[in-house]
Amino acid sequence: MYKYDHIDQTLVDQRVTQFRDQVERRLNGTLAEEEFRPLRLQNGLYHQRHAYMLRVAIPYGLLSARQLRTLAFIADKYDRGYGHFTTRQNIQFNWVELEQTPDILAELAKVEMHAIQTSGNCIRNITSDAFAGVAADEYIDPRPICELLRQWSTLHPEFAHLPRKFKFAVNGAKEDRTVLLCHDVGIELKKDSQDRLIADIYAGGGMGRTPILGSLIKQNVPWEVLPSYLTALLRVYNRFGRRDNLYKARIKILVKALGPEEFARQVEGEWAQLHNATKQGKDNFTQAEWERVAKHFTKQSYKTLPALSDEQLQSHAQSKLDANEKIVFTRWLERNVKPHQVPGYASVILSLKPHGTAAPGDATSAQMNAIADLADQYSFGELRVTHEQNLVLADVEQAELLNLWRAAKNYNLVLPNIGLLTDIIACPGGDFCSLANAKSLPIAKAIQERFDDLDYLHDLGDITLNISGCINSCGHHHVGNIGVLGVDKDGEEWYQITLGGDQGNDASIGKVIGPSFYANEIPDVMTSIINTYVEQRSTDEPFIETYRRLGVTPFKEAAYKNNGKHSKGAAV
């Protein structure tokens, strides 16, 4: 993984010193809150419902075991013993004290981490495929491009005060595991017929109040000119993006208003001027820059090992496990273990979605330290964060899977529910966030408790369930097969249901089924929806395909048949 050079380290160290002075002035009253607010947001510090929350950047989701141990240390010393992994592959600490935040940033800087640009109207943390560099279906490892873009965008003076926050996703595999089309800019990497690295650019995606899928605006962009093309794109947005209306300030509104073709035309015009002004793009990436960064993403020191089938792995475990363990281990192999590029290796997803015992995406300091140890022992000291709020050990020898499973089991990290109904994506919601209209975490817990039978969950198969506590959609409810949105109606918490959302190559935005429900009705509503699916599905037909075949009507009728007697109209 990428290692800081002198420039990187100097930048984050100077930022710590700068912010320490700003905090001191805020505490002694010489810096007013209205002046301090944009400064703290530039360092990822929010004031939430009960305390300050610090959001720490995990660039493209890649962590070292040493960094994870530091996050565990911060959780214990400065928070309440846990952290929350987010849909942008970051981690949040929800209970920090203002006067301690410079010390936290100093601890992060020691292990090449920071919180720069995890908030504010700037280019946020660049996300990518959690299986980058190891995925069996990968065309190109996106991490060098992600790192080059991280360096290009960090503290970029021209884009420090955009009309609104701005999010990139970068994909380099056949399967889109980045929710590419739901980002302000999605970059699809590929190779041309001469084996040169090029990119297709999508713009104008986003969720929130107005969910829109991004549009293809430029194909076959050479990797070297990405900085100048993206600069042109951001300049058009910076110039014409709405600044008079917070809800219409995202680039998706501009692209929709202009139309993708006209937006692309304006970007092309700005790009042409930029090329002339910079003497044919002198600010673009160079081969030397590629080599400087790409050397950090070479292949691990893999052994020459035989590839093992699931049957061989199960057979290996037969004499070492009791009957119940064999069933759970087999399911874990099916749901939590993914193919690898290298024979004899696999990638393992550690589930942070225990049924009813912790919030989705939360990890205790004990779990973080244990995962760091597992990474050191089984996966070259590295791990990844998924946008589904789980963690990945990317390089595990297949022959060690049983040992890893046993070790991770001690820390409640092996629930075989990846991709199933209880692998819920959820934001912290009204329990923490001052923007939330309703609580997310109790809803997630109630659903997990209702659907606690692993046999039944595995029979249901792939279903995504996403929960957001407000219209900002931090829980990505718009792209869940089933989405739950918390809304405020006359000071009460209600929950709106969407169906038909999907992420990946066939991304779609879910549709609201009708009026919202009370919190205590949601488990019954989910049961009605799921029962309808079970009754109506064809053999081995996933939920999303059944929904697309039947439409919303049977699900809607079932949801309201015995529920929603006190429902209110859909939120606007």
Side-chain angles (χ1 to χ4, degrees):
M1 61 184 292
Y2 181 77
K3 302 295 183 184
Y4 278 12
D5 60 16
H6 174 70
I7 295 173
D8 295 303
Q9 193 64 54
T10 299
L11 185 151
V12 296
D13 288 342
Q14 288 179 347
R15 176 50 69 96
V16 173
T17 301
Q18 180 191 59
F19 191 58
R20 191 180 297 280
D21 174 69
Q22 292 165 349
V23 170
E24 289 175 357
R25 288 189 286 131
R26 176 70 190 100
L27 291 171
N28 66 29
T30 60
L31 185 65
E33 173 58 27
E34 59 268 23
E35 298 173 299
F36 179 62
R37 183 176 182 273
L39 301 175
R40 63 171 168 80
L41 288 175
Q42 290 169 9
N43 290 281
L45 187 64
Y46 290 74
H47 193 269
Q48 298 285 66
R49 193 176 295 273
H50 306 293
Y52 282 97
M53 179 271 282
L54 181 67
R55 181 181 295 145
V56 178
I58 304 176
Y60 37 95
L62 187 58
L63 272 174
S64 70
R66 180 184 177 218
Q67 289 172 331
L68 187 59
R69 289 190 183 96
T70 293
L71 296 177
F73 170 78
I74 290 170
D76 275 337
K77 184 171 182 179
Y78 300 104
D79 203 278
R80 295 187 176 181
Y82 71 96
H84 175 75
F85 289 97
T86 78
T87 52
R88 291 208 60 73
Q89 301 178 301
N90 294 317
I91 188 172
Q92 295 179 176
F93 296 105
N94 290 305
W95 297 97
V96 300
E97 301 288 341
L98 175 58
E99 57 267 31
Q100 294 180 320
T101 52
D103 293 334
I104 298 174
L105 295 182
E107 294 291 347
L108 293 170
K110 292 177 185 176
V111 292
E112 304 178 7
M113 297 188 76
H114 61 77
I116 298 169
Q117 293 183 199
T118 58
S119 180
N121 296 334
C122 57
I123 299 171
R124 298 285 186 91
N125 186 46
I126 293 169
T127 60
S128 190
D129 185 359
F131 300 91
V134 301
D137 66 337
E138 187 172 80
Y139 300 132
I140 182 70
D141 185 346
R143 293 175 299 172
I145 290 294
C146 290
E147 179 57 32
L148 287 168
L149 291 174
R150 182 195 73 82
Q151 295 182 24
W152 165 77
S153 63
T154 299
L155 302 183
H156 196 303
E158 191 173 348
F159 307 129
H161 299 286
L162 295 168
R164 199 69 170 86
K165 57 186 176 182
F166 205 90
K167 300 176 180 179
F168 283 79
V170 185
N171 185 49
K174 180 179 180 181
E175 180 183 351
D176 173 24
R177 289 177 285 267
T178 70
V179 205
L180 193 81
L181 297 183
C182 289
H183 283 74
D184 298 284
V185 167
I187 300 174
E188 185 80 44
L189 299 176
K190 57 185 183 180
K191 292 288 189 73
D192 66 10
S193 57
Q194 282 76 47
D195 202 39
R196 293 174 299 196
L197 178 59
I198 56 176
D200 291 343
I201 309 297
Y202 295 81
M207 287 181 264
R209 188 174 296 270
T210 309
I212 299 175
L213 297 180
S215 299
L216 179 63
I217 62 164
K218 181 72 172 177
Q219 290 182 290
N220 304 332
V221 179
W223 71 271
E224 299 94 334
V225 302
L226 280 173
S228 61
Y229 185 81
L230 295 174
T231 293
L233 183 152
L234 280 156
R235 282 183 177 178
V236 172
Y237 169 55
N238 214 4
R239 183 182 306 129
F240 298 114
R242 296 281 296 271
R243 294 180 185 268
D244 62 326
N245 188 322
L246 180 68
Y247 304 114
K248 297 183 178 181
R250 297 292 294 271
I251 191 175
K252 62 187 178 182
I253 303 299
L254 178 62
V255 174
K256 182 179 180 180
L258 292 176
E261 296 80 7
E262 174 60 18
F263 178 79
R265 189 190 68 79
Q266 294 207 24
V267 173
E268 286 290 332
E270 181 66 34
W271 194 30
Q273 292 185 12
L274 185 63
H275 268 268
N276 292 332
T278 60
K279 298 179 181 179
Q280 301 304 311
K282 67 179 181 181
D283 293 331
N284 285 322
F285 296 144
T286 65
Q287 186 62 35
E289 283 293 281
W290 173 273
E291 292 171 359
R292 177 183 65 83
V293 168
K295 69 182 180 183
H296 296 281
F297 301 105
T298 56
K299 297 298 183 184
Q300 303 284 8
S301 301
Y302 296 117
K303 300 176 183 177
T304 301
L305 299 171
L308 302 177
S309 66
D310 285 348
E311 291 75 15
Q312 288 174 306
L313 293 170
Q314 293 166 23
S315 176
H316 174 68
Q318 288 296 314
S319 62
K320 302 176 185 293
L321 301 174
D322 62 34
N324 183 62
E325 286 179 323
K326 291 174 186 175
I327 295 172
V328 178
F329 179 68
T330 298
R331 286 176 173 161
W332 183 77
L333 289 175
E334 176 189 345
R335 303 303 312 188
N336 297 45
V337 178
K338 303 300 178 182
H340 198 285
Q341 292 177 0
V342 178
Y345 285 84
S347 296
V348 173
I349 304 175
L350 300 176
S351 174
L352 297 184
K353 312 295 177 61
H355 287 181
T357 60
D362 280 5
T364 66
S365 57
Q367 286 177 315
M368 285 190 263
N369 280 318
I371 294 167
D373 291 342
L374 294 175
D376 277 337
Q377 184 173 358
Y378 295 106
S379 192
F380 300 98
E382 293 182 5
L383 62 145
R384 288 90 176 290
V385 184
T386 75
H387 81 267
E388 294 94 349
Q389 300 174 287
N390 294 307
L391 300 179
V392 171
L393 299 180
D395 299 292
V396 180
E397 293 179 25
Q398 288 181 299
E400 293 290 345
L401 286 171
L402 178 58
N403 291 332
L404 169 60
W405 178 79
R406 280 175 160 169
K409 183 181 177 183
N410 294 328
Y411 293 90
N412 201 19
L413 295 166
V414 296
L415 190 68
N417 67 339
I418 300 302
L420 301 180
L421 184 64
T422 59
D423 185 15
I424 297 171
I425 293 175
C427 70
D431 286 304
F432 299 97
C433 182
S434 58
L435 300 176
N437 295 316
K439 295 180 174 64
S440 301
L441 304 183
I443 301 300
K445 180 179 180 181
I447 294 171
Q448 287 176 328
E449 290 175 345
R450 173 65 63 91
F451 295 94
D452 193 38
D453 186 330
L454 281 171
D455 289 333
Y456 185 60
L457 288 173
H458 279 258
D459 177 66
L460 292 176
D462 292 331
I463 304 177
T464 58
L465 172 59
N466 299 14
I467 306 174
S468 297
C470 77
I471 199 63
N472 287 317
S473 190
C474 293
H476 293 184
H477 68 277
H478 292 297
V479 293
N481 299 163
I482 304 172
V484 181
L485 169 65
V487 294
D488 174 37
K489 296 184 183 289
D490 302 324
E492 293 182 312
E493 294 183 2
W494 293 75
Y495 295 87
Q496 187 182 92
I497 304 299
T498 60
L499 294 178
D502 201 15
Q503 61 188 47
N505 299 57
D506 197 18
S508 58
I509 301 296
K511 304 293 184 182
V512 178
I513 68 170
S516 49
F517 300 89
Y518 278 140
N520 61 7
E521 294 178 302
I522 294 298
D524 289 337
V525 171
M526 290 297 139
T527 298
S528 297
I529 291 170
I530 294 302
N531 286 346
T532 302
Y533 161 59
V534 172
E535 293 165 3
Q536 299 288 338
R537 66 181 173 180
S538 300
T539 304
D540 297 327
E541 185 179 44
F543 177 91
I544 189 62
E545 292 183 14
T546 300
Y547 173 84
R548 288 171 175 166
R549 175 171 56 83
L550 297 176
V552 71
T553 300
F555 298 96
K556 179 177 179 177
E557 290 176 348
Y560 289 102
K561 184 175 182 180
N562 298 309
N563 307 295
K565 295 182 177 63
H566 307 288
S567 62
K568 293 195 176 184
V572 295

